[in-house]
Amino acid sequence: MEIVDDKLNMDFTSIASTTTRNLEIPAEFCLFEGSPDPCTIVIVGASGDLTARKVVPALFNLYLNDGLPNPFLIFGCARTKMGDKDFRDRMKKALIEIKNPDNQKWETFSESLHYRIIDYNDLPSFKNLADSLRELDKKSGTRGNRIFYLAIPPDLYKPTAQMIGKTGLSAEGETGNGWSRIVVEKPFGQDLDTAIDLDRSLHEYFREHQIFRIDHYLAKETVQNILMFRFANAIFEPVWDRRYIDHVSITAAETLGVEHRSGYYEQAGVLRDMFQNHMMQLLALTAMEPPSLFEANRVRDEKTKVYRSLRPFPVENLHEYIVLGQYGEGVIDGERVPAYRDEPGIKTDSLTPTFAMMKVFLDNWRWQGVPFYITSGKRLAKKITEISIQFKEVPHSMFRQSLGEHITANRLILGVYPDEKISLTFQTKNPGAKLCLRSVAMDFRYHQNYSGPVLDAYEKVLLDCMTGDHMLFWRQDAVELCWSFLTPILQECEMCRDRSKMLLTYEAGSGGPQSKKILRQNSSLEK
Ligand SMILES: NC(=O)c1ccc[n+]([C@@H]2O[C@H](COP(=O)([O-])OP(=O)(O)OC[C@H]3O[C@@H](n4cnc5c(N)ncnc54)[C@H](OP(=O)(O)O)[C@@H]3O)[C@@H](O)[C@H]2O)c1
């Protein structure tokens, strides 16, 4: 990473001038760091939703921005019977649903798309795949460097990784192979035991540096920016602790329901779908100590320390720390929407939570006694992902004769999505002779003064897989610590006899279950 203003030798004369004028950093300057090695990305499960909606569009966009190595091949495989041309047509059709691609550019890009039929449990079919890959390597010069992207249902991760290993494709620098990497999508297991089991089987044939546990959330610009904001500025860290911060709210709310993923969601629910991964990452980025260097393992070490300091939930009075809900019918954007239990593919007596709010404590020096309110849910009033740092009130109000004891405390909002912003509220004097205060906000919009290309989250993680950078990927120790923290709640919620009592129904389009008093009214949804 480079410090842009030094590199460009820019003259920053005052803070005021930086906020008002365009910084004129060439857009391409920060887009890519180095060029990845030539390689092939093998997408296993390439007939599925993720490939069509996320992976191939992201690769195409990288291509448009000159971000792909040369040569570069995409090798889709799955059981669905298709040839190269069908696969290319299918990917183009999916892309058109997102945006209208430049036909000429697509035609050139699509020549790198290939497809082979495989059976996930059949060794000969993987041997054929290996032969095809080696042949294409020779023809195209991709040097045997390969990424195996598992875009398949999670129960196929284990057998597929083993098949790749058994055909010798995981061994690096042998039999025509260059480097070999495997990408695993969340969920990493269903609980602690299954996560350990999955990891064990991945390690049968792959070493840790070859394994990329993807969480695309981490690659969102505004999420990456949390560390820059905290550790590239000197003024926030001194107040970033229990002495100045009253509480922290981390919220990821969506208006969408379960959509087309009912089979997966029924099994996962909000705790596995959002908390085990994205919410825990946002917590770690907000609470971690500064690493000595911005380097993958040092950053991940600090995150792991946050997870180690999570205070276990007291299972005997769980209701004081967690609220679970499931959406009923309601109105979103003026349209009536069905209850979760009436959605296609969902059981009519389903007890899967679609909403959770937790009060979490970190038992360490910095955060002792500061509650973190973590909230996520579907079919809520608004789509919003943000971190809200609520500072304490002033210790003594010198204005109490006119304004009383309480003065609204400062609040810092790190908006992740869709409002990509940083906003700090503070008190100012209202114009006039009478002593009156008003809350105002200092706002920074993330794309302010920037009109160049932006990498979306999948583009960034795919690029990192190609360069072998683990910074934005989960490490197994963190996966296991988060499962250790959540598994007792999952067990309590899923196995206790009065499970249905724990699950509160909330109206779609609302702020979640009414009864959240134990957690105070801290969610961004209440503001
Ligand atoms: N879609 C997303 O936005 C998203 C986001 C985050 C994580 N993920 C994860 O990424 C992985 C792939 O997601 P996806 O949405 O692309 O999955 P998907 O469409 O349901 O499945 C991908 C492919 O897997 C194959 N498959 C094999 N056995 C299957 C089975 N029993 N049921 C369904 N498909 C089966 C199918 O191909 P063939 O029949 O041709 O073999 C299918 O086209 C999953 O682990 C998912 O949890 C997805």
Side-chain angles (χ1 to χ4, degrees):
M1 203 178 62
E2 293 177 67
I3 300 171
V4 172
D5 51 354
D6 276 3
K7 176 83 181 172
L8 298 180
N9 197 19
M10 296 179 77
D11 172 26
F12 290 147
T13 47
S14 72
I15 290 176
S17 67
T18 63
T19 54
T20 51
R21 76 189 163 96
N22 192 325
L23 296 183
E24 291 169 7
I25 297 164
E28 313 73 40
F29 187 81
C30 298
L31 206 57
F32 301 114
E33 188 157 33
S35 176
D37 298 335
C39 62
T40 303
I41 180 164
V42 183
I43 309 174
V44 185
S47 56
D49 175 70
L50 185 73
T51 307
R53 274 194 321 114
K54 299 286 184 192
V55 181
V56 172
L59 292 169
F60 181 54
N61 237 10
L62 283 174
Y63 166 77
L64 293 181
N65 285 313
D66 291 329
L68 289 182
N70 189 10
F72 178 75
L73 294 178
I74 301 169
F75 210 97
C77 41
R79 295 171 305 184
T80 302
K81 291 187 173 54
M82 274 191 274
D84 289 352
K85 183 173 180 317
D86 307 315
F87 183 51
R88 290 170 189 176
D89 290 347
R90 196 173 172 134
M91 294 302 113
K92 185 176 181 187
K93 195 163 162 249
L95 195 64
I96 288 169
E97 282 175 24
I98 305 167
K99 64 169 190 183
N100 228 346
D102 174 325
N103 268 331
Q104 185 69 47
K105 297 246 164 69
W106 171 262
E107 288 313 318
T108 319
F109 170 79
S110 69
E111 283 167 20
S112 61
L113 288 168
H114 302 266
Y115 184 86
R116 292 287 180 282
I117 300 164
I118 51 156
D119 182 336
Y120 307 107
N121 294 302
D122 178 49
L123 191 56
S125 98
F126 275 82
K127 284 190 172 146
N128 289 340
L129 171 70
D131 292 342
S132 302
L133 283 172
R134 286 179 185 130
E135 205 177 295
L136 268 177
D137 269 338
K138 274 190 207 138
K139 265 198 220 154
S140 62
T142 40
R143 301 189 203 159
N145 296 324
R146 297 176 200 119
I147 297 170
F148 295 91
Y149 195 121
L150 304 193
I152 39 180
D155 53 349
L156 289 174
Y157 293 166
K158 260 173 70 171
T160 305
Q162 304 239 323
M163 289 295 169
I164 295 168
K166 282 180 186 164
T167 49
L169 288 169
S170 61
E172 295 188 296
E174 287 174 24
T175 54
N177 298 350
W179 49 252
S180 175
R181 296 171 187 153
I182 189 163
V183 181
V184 189
E185 271 283 355
K186 62 140 191 164
F188 317 117
Q190 278 289 297
D191 52 22
L192 180 59
D193 291 344
T194 49
I196 293 172
D197 184 48
L198 170 63
D199 190 57
R200 207 174 285 137
S201 30
L202 289 177
H203 274 102
E204 265 186 55
Y205 292 99
F206 292 90
R207 285 181 291 152
E208 184 60 25
H209 75 270
Q210 298 176 272
I211 302 172
F212 289 74
R213 300 173 192 86
I214 213 167
D215 186 342
H216 71 277
Y217 225 70
L218 272 173
K220 285 184 188 291
E221 287 284 353
T222 43
V223 174
Q224 293 183 67
N225 187 50
I226 298 169
L227 290 192
M228 313 298 153
F229 175 78
R230 286 190 57 200
F231 302 136
N233 295 294
I235 60 172
F236 300 107
E237 269 315 286
V239 295
W240 207 264
D241 64 23
R242 70 193 152 78
R243 289 172 305 157
Y244 291 94
I245 293 177
D246 184 73
H247 63 266
V248 177
S249 304
I250 302 176
T251 306
E254 49 184 336
T255 51
L256 290 177
V258 68
E259 307 299 300
H260 57 286
R261 303 191 74 206
S262 56
Y264 156 77
Y265 200 85
E266 256 302 74
Q267 300 299 317
V270 70
L271 295 176
R272 292 189 177 88
D273 186 48
M274 291 298 291
F275 280 73
Q276 163 63 18
N277 33 68
H278 311 323
M279 304 310 281
M280 283 295 163
Q281 285 289 351
L282 292 180
L283 172 68
L285 291 168
T286 310
M288 68 192 257
E289 296 298 323
S292 58
L293 196 67
F294 190 62
E295 182 270 329
N297 265 333
R298 294 196 207 192
V299 170
R300 297 189 301 173
D301 285 346
E302 294 304 333
K303 288 185 185 174
T304 296
K305 286 183 204 163
V306 173
Y307 301 137
R308 284 213 181 93
S309 42
L310 281 163
R311 186 185 300 172
F313 285 111
V315 173
E316 59 291 352
N317 54 346
L318 210 51
H319 61 283
E320 289 184 17
Y321 292 84
I322 177 163
V323 173
L324 295 176
Q326 188 188 74
Y327 64 83
E329 63 176 316
V331 177
I332 301 260
D333 294 334
E335 285 199 16
R336 265 221 97 68
V337 294
Y340 178 73
R341 291 177 183 187
D342 295 331
E343 298 270 22
I346 302 295
K347 285 188 253 149
T348 50
D349 57 353
S350 167
L351 292 175
T352 299
T354 60
F355 173 97
M357 187 185 218
M358 287 178 188
K359 181 161 66 174
V360 168
F361 288 95
L362 297 172
D363 284 332
N364 60 26
W365 193 281
R366 186 191 281 259
W367 294 114
Q368 192 53 243
V370 179
F372 286 76
Y373 298 95
I374 310 181
T375 308
S376 181
K378 286 192 176 294
R379 285 279 191 238
L380 291 168
K382 55 182 171 182
K383 181 170 181 58
I384 185 171
T385 300
E386 69 174 30
I387 299 163
S388 163
I389 314 288
Q390 180 62 59
F391 290 93
K392 290 183 176 172
E393 288 182 12
V394 291
H396 166 73
S397 169
M398 62 186 244
F399 309 109
R400 63 186 179 284
Q401 284 154 311
S402 332
L403 300 173
E405 288 297 333
H406 297 290
I407 294 179
T408 307
N410 302 107
R411 178 185 287 154
L412 177 72
I413 306 276
L414 303 178
V416 172
Y417 193 79
D419 264 356
E420 301 184 316
K421 64 169 187 183
I422 297 171
S423 174
L424 177 67
T425 58
F426 53 92
Q427 300 301 310
T428 56
K429 180 184 176 302
N430 212 42
K434 190 177 170 205
L435 180 57
C436 297
L437 292 180
R438 60 175 170 158
S439 283
V440 292
M442 207 150 61
D443 270 340
F444 163 70
R445 301 275 147 184
Y446 194 71
H447 294 290
Q448 191 172 311
N449 292 335
Y450 182 81
S451 55
V454 179
L455 293 185
D456 100 333
Y458 268 94
E459 289 165 42
K460 169 74 177 134
V461 284
L462 284 163
L463 204 55
D464 287 353
C465 292
M466 290 177 220
T467 55
D469 182 353
H470 276 88
M471 176 76 77
L472 301 179
F473 295 82
W474 279 85
R475 208 168 61 185
Q476 182 64 11
D477 55 354
V479 172
E480 290 180 19
L481 283 162
C482 291
W483 275 126
S484 305
F485 176 64
L486 288 175
T487 299
I489 319 173
L490 286 165
Q491 283 171 346
E492 189 61 22
C493 300
E494 290 173 0
M495 288 168 203
C496 72
R497 262 179 290 137
D498 55 357
R499 198 177 152 193
S500 58
K501 277 198 209 144
M502 276 197 75
L503 195 68
L504 307 168
T505 305
Y506 60 95
E507 197 182 325
S510 70
Q514 291 291 311
S515 171
K516 292 184 298 214
K517 55 182 181 295
I518 47 112
L519 300 169
R520 299 169 42 181
Q521 302 294 290
N522 284 309
S523 160
S524 301
L525 297 163
E526 318 283 345
K527 287 173 219 153

